[in-house]
Amino acid sequence: PDAGALFACARGAGSWSASLWDEAAPLTRVRVDGASPVAQARVMESYESRHSDHSFAGRVRSAAGITAPSLRLDSQAKYGLLSRGDASVFMRFPPASYREKIWDHAAGALMVEEAGGRVSDAAGAPLDFSLGRWLDSMVGGIVAAPPQVHASVVKAIREAGQAGGGGYGFTGSHLREVGRRAVLVSWLRLRWWASWGCQRAWRSLQS
């Protein structure tokens, strides 16, 4: 069937794609769509409303001047479509109680970055995949897009939040939740290192 794609990427080596069904198909280097203006951007978001606030995403599109409806789908296929220019923006705004897992975004984020795009949280800060299995330092959500479009979308997020009353992703309750998680991650790290250090010292005494 003429459907399906295989994606591959490596840090510093670019992003590549090939047909999933044609074993002889060569890998083709892919790039994000850096030419389309923001108003003509095709936005992708999570299909499940419990994974992302569709209403807020609509306000962000309006603030950015984007008129086309969102394409809703799940999985990291969104990163693949963005990396080869089939869409221009991926936005995701989960509730503050939802914990993003690194394996849901790490490969896709690298795919987009190696294709020339930018991936960040809703505040514009890079995603930190070094804190264990959770993206607990993430503020507000995830935005992926070509660089010039990315800057406009982050600006629209701030405007949409202010218009909605309080700034989505930047409210005191959300920041307190992010801070609580960061403290928890630090405490777990300290506890692990302390346990490891005690075990090593005990083995040294036994030898």
Side-chain angles (χ1 to χ4, degrees), residues 3-55:
L6 175 68
F7 292 94
C9 65
R11 180 71 69 187
S15 292
W16 305 77
S17 179
S19 170
L20 182 63
W21 303 104
D22 184 357
E23 296 182 358
L27 284 169
T28 302
R29 189 157 190 173
V30 295
R31 301 285 297 180
V32 297
D33 178 12
S36 298
V38 177
Q40 297 178 12
R42 183 65 186 271
V43 178
M44 298 176 293
E45 61 181 338
S46 299
Y47 182 83
E48 294 285 348
S49 59
R50 61 191 175 91
H51 292 166
S52 186
D53 187 336
H54 292 165
S55 176

Side-chain angles (χ1 to χ4, degrees), residues 27-189:
L27 284 169
T28 302
R29 189 157 190 173
V30 295
R31 301 285 297 180
V32 297
D33 178 12
S36 298
V38 177
Q40 297 178 12
R42 183 65 186 271
V43 178
M44 298 176 293
E45 61 181 338
S46 299
Y47 182 83
E48 294 285 348
S49 59
R50 61 191 175 91
H51 292 166
S52 186
D53 187 336
H54 292 165
S55 176
F56 180 74
R59 297 205 301 273
V60 173
R61 293 199 311 273
S62 296
I66 300 171
T67 57
S70 291
L71 175 63
R72 293 177 179 171
L73 66 160
D74 277 327
S75 84
Q76 293 192 63
K78 296 183 287 293
Y79 288 110
L81 294 175
L82 179 58
S83 70
R84 69 180 187 184
D86 293 330
S88 307
V89 182
F90 165 44
M91 298 189 297
R92 180 180 173 97
F93 306 108
S97 59
Y98 186 84
R99 300 183 74 185
E100 293 283 5
K101 305 171 186 66
I102 62 171
W103 53 79
D104 287 334
H105 301 282
L110 180 60
M111 186 80 191
V112 170
E113 290 173 352
E114 285 298 314
R118 186 178 175 195
V119 184
S120 75
D121 66 15
L127 299 180
D128 188 349
F129 293 104
S130 69
L131 300 176
R133 66 180 61 190
W134 312 106
L135 285 172
D136 284 344
S137 64
M138 180 195 76
V139 175
I142 295 175
V143 180
Q148 72 277 13
V149 176
H150 183 278
S152 298
V153 172
V154 171
K155 180 175 180 289
I157 290 171
R158 290 196 298 268
E159 294 174 354
Q162 292 166 0
Y168 182 88
F170 307 97
T171 62
S173 61
H174 188 94
L175 292 176
R176 281 194 297 273
E177 176 66 16
V178 171
R180 183 191 68 79
R181 294 180 186 175
V183 169
L184 177 61
V185 169
S186 298
W187 180 80
L188 290 174
R189 278 183 167 180

